[in-house]
Amino acid sequence: MTTVLTNRWPDGGVTVTPYWVYTDVAVYQRELERIWYGKHWLYCGLEAEVPKVGNYRTVTLGERPVIMARYGEGDGEISVVENSCAHRGTKLCWDRSGKVDNFTCPYHQWNYELTGELTGVPFRRGIRGEGGMPKEFKPSEHGLNRLNVEVVNGVVWASFAQDTPSFRDYLGEKMFDFYGRIFNGRKLRVIGYNRQRINGNWKLMLENNKDPYHAALLHVFFATFGLFRPDQASQLEMDEKGRHACLMSIFKPGGTNDVAGSLAALDDTLTLQDARIIQAVKELSGEETVRANTIFPSIILLQQVNSMQARQIVPKGPGAFDFMWTHFGFEDDDEEMQARRVRQANLFGPSGFVSADDAEVVRMAQEGFEEQAHDAAALMLMGGRDVASSNSMATETAIRGMYQYYRSVMEL
């Protein structure tokens, strides 16, 4: 099924984004069809979240609930199936996580292997010779819908399309190398979770994390304490199609100079009661102290100082999305590093010293789009008109890159 659209992209190419891409219901329906359920890899979770055979975790990809489970012998493997009984559509698992031997529908007790195969149908042959399923009914044809899955260095990726290119090809070699800085096969450990509902279009959060221009202008904490400022060495890279990006920068302690001193967000009257919240211990390759990897369309993988998070986007219509935070570290972290990661997690999440600003400004942007004329458009000229890597924070090139790809897959 293809949703029919009558919208026309305004003149200006990748330097403008019409407001209707954030508000139009028909556009959103095509996004689900072409992007979320098309040939794209979606973040499903960390392998560490299902450590033993029988462990499962429920997740939502696009608008569809799925179950990520470990099955088999020994260390097992990972399967991802839709959380919907093949009989009448009833949701199978309601808890966020658990441990089971199989999946059983609460309605009519249809039973499935952890890989989705149908293994039991009560009264399949009827009762005392009456009723039951037709003779030609084959359980093998009525299993749960099973997604295409790749587990790549501890992260579980799933796609509703069985012919999606390999995850490595999907990222491209440059982006895959950036991905491997954290996810290099070293075993991961989950620290905790946050989740929030943000009243804004799902694409706005991807834009936000591809946008170095806003960071030191919006975020008082960044500007004041030097975690991310325009006077720092930085780099922004994209894949060949422009859909994925990696933003990198090197921490510079607070203070003023000709650039930093011009920032309205900088407030040198503020001090930290505990400076450890911004003190980094070097543990990864390279000099940068922040890397934000945006992997289109569903995830931002962030490392800042020693805090690491997977920030999953779950769309809830054109005007809202759920933002699911998974804070993690490494399995072999010592107690001091574990405590450091927990402490620095206060920078992020729904009420984080930094991230609370993003949720609020995304909401404000969405209200602006919904209240303005349907044919109005956002302007993205910072850094020029092209789509290319940049060493400047005064750029919107990665947002232009994302919409270059978006327009091609959406045929807009």
Side-chain angles (χ1 to χ4, degrees):
M1 183 184 73
T2 300
T3 300
V4 177
L5 300 180
T6 59
N7 309 67
R8 180 182 177 277
W9 202 275
D11 296 336
V14 295
T15 66
V16 295
T17 305
Y19 287 1
W20 48 256
V21 302
Y22 307 105
T23 62
D24 191 285
V25 174
V27 169
Y28 175 72
Q29 288 302 317
R30 185 179 285 192
E31 289 173 349
L32 291 176
E33 298 161 11
R34 300 282 184 91
I35 295 173
W36 293 93
Y37 308 142
K39 296 180 183 181
H40 296 86
W41 286 107
L42 308 178
Y43 173 86
C44 199
L46 302 179
E47 196 175 10
E49 295 178 275
V50 286
K52 297 181 180 179
V53 170
N55 286 146
Y56 73 86
R57 187 163 180 83
T58 54
V59 187
T60 302
L61 303 181
E63 291 190 345
R64 296 182 185 175
V66 302
I67 310 167
M68 175 178 69
R70 188 177 291 272
Y71 70 94
E73 302 296 328
D75 292 337
E77 299 179 59
I78 304 292
S79 69
V80 178
V81 296
E82 288 205 55
N83 192 1
S84 176
C85 182
H87 178 212
R88 302 270 287 277
T90 304
K91 184 178 281 190
L92 300 170
C93 295
W94 290 85
D95 293 334
R96 291 192 179 275
S97 62
K99 192 173 190 298
V100 294
D101 295 324
N102 49 61
F103 300 127
T104 300
C105 178
Y107 200 171
H108 299 95
Q109 306 293 296
W110 281 33
N111 184 264
Y112 303 88
E113 296 284 4
L114 298 178
T115 49
E117 290 86 354
L118 178 62
T119 56
V121 176
F123 306 127
R124 176 184 167 191
R125 293 177 175 80
I127 302 172
R128 295 176 180 172
E130 299 290 334
M133 300 298 284
K135 290 182 179 180
E136 64 271 18
F137 176 81
K138 296 179 180 179
S140 60
E141 297 177 354
H142 297 276
L144 304 177
N145 184 35
R146 188 170 180 179
L147 278 64
N148 191 6
V149 173
E150 281 196 33
V151 180
V152 186
N153 295 347
V155 185
V156 181
W157 301 92
S159 175
F160 288 94
Q162 295 301 317
D163 56 347
T164 302
S166 72
F167 180 73
R168 186 166 189 151
D169 289 344
Y170 180 69
L171 286 193
E173 285 303 309
K174 180 166 60 174
M175 289 296 116
F176 191 80
D177 286 345
F178 292 143
Y179 172 85
R181 180 171 180 259
I182 293 176
F183 305 106
N184 59 7
R186 190 176 172 188
K187 289 188 177 297
L188 304 174
R189 170 189 287 155
V190 175
I191 294 174
Y193 301 97
N194 301 119
R195 60 184 184 272
Q196 64 190 121
R197 173 70 55 87
I198 298 177
N199 292 322
N201 185 271
W202 64 271
K203 297 185 292 298
L204 289 171
M205 190 53 77
L206 282 179
E207 290 181 26
N208 178 272
N209 283 269
K210 293 173 181 284
D211 174 17
Y213 178 38
H214 86 280
L217 301 173
L218 172 68
H219 299 300
V220 172
F221 199 97
F222 273 171
T224 302
F225 299 112
L227 284 180
F228 196 92
R229 292 198 322 202
D231 57 327
Q232 297 169 354
S234 62
Q235 184 179 1
L236 195 157
E237 298 284 350
M238 288 173 281
D239 71 313
E240 291 182 357
K241 295 185 177 182
R243 55 187 169 181
H244 315 307
C246 182
L247 175 60
M248 298 160 275
S249 182
I250 299 175
F251 170 70
K252 189 174 184 178
T256 60
N257 54 39
D258 61 322
V259 177
S262 67
L263 298 173
L266 190 149
D267 186 346
D268 56 13
T269 67
L270 297 177
T271 59
L272 294 172
Q273 289 188 348
D274 187 347
R276 292 177 301 171
I277 198 168
I278 61 172
Q279 292 172 352
V281 171
K282 182 172 174 55
E283 59 174 333
L284 303 171
S285 63
E287 295 302 315
E288 60 268 30
T289 51
V290 56
R291 271 201 191 187
N293 289 60
T294 52
I295 299 179
F296 187 86
S298 68
I299 194 72
I300 299 107
L301 301 170
L302 179 78
Q303 169 262 319
Q304 183 134 24
V305 285
N306 294 109
S307 177
M308 297 187 289
Q309 319 110 44
R311 305 176 177 185
Q312 183 190 14
I313 297 168
V314 181
K316 296 292 181 183
F321 64 94
D322 285 346
F323 208 29
M324 316 296 283
W325 302 71
T326 302
H327 302 264
F328 65 91
F330 296 111
E331 190 178 82
D332 57 3
D333 285 344
D334 60 23
E335 290 185 8
E336 183 178 354
M337 180 58 79
Q338 290 180 50
R340 182 183 300 273
R341 297 198 200 283
V342 171
R343 184 183 306 115
Q344 294 179 350
N346 287 291
L347 296 168
F348 308 104
S351 59
F353 294 143
V354 176
S355 300
D357 303 339
D358 292 319
E360 186 66 7
V361 82
V362 163
R363 179 193 63 80
M364 295 165 70
Q366 185 70 25
E367 288 186 7
F369 299 144
E370 292 174 352
E371 292 168 357
Q372 297 300 315
H374 185 73
D375 58 355
L379 186 64
M380 296 177 296
L381 278 171
M382 185 60 62
R385 299 176 182 274
D386 62 346
V387 174
S389 298
S390 175
N391 292 325
S392 172
M393 289 190 187
T395 184
E396 294 166 315
T397 183
I399 305 175
R400 292 193 292 271
M402 185 180 81
Y403 282 107
Q404 174 180 276
Y405 174 74
Y406 175 88
R407 289 186 67 186
S408 69
V409 74
M410 290 284 287
E411 294 186 273
L412 287 171

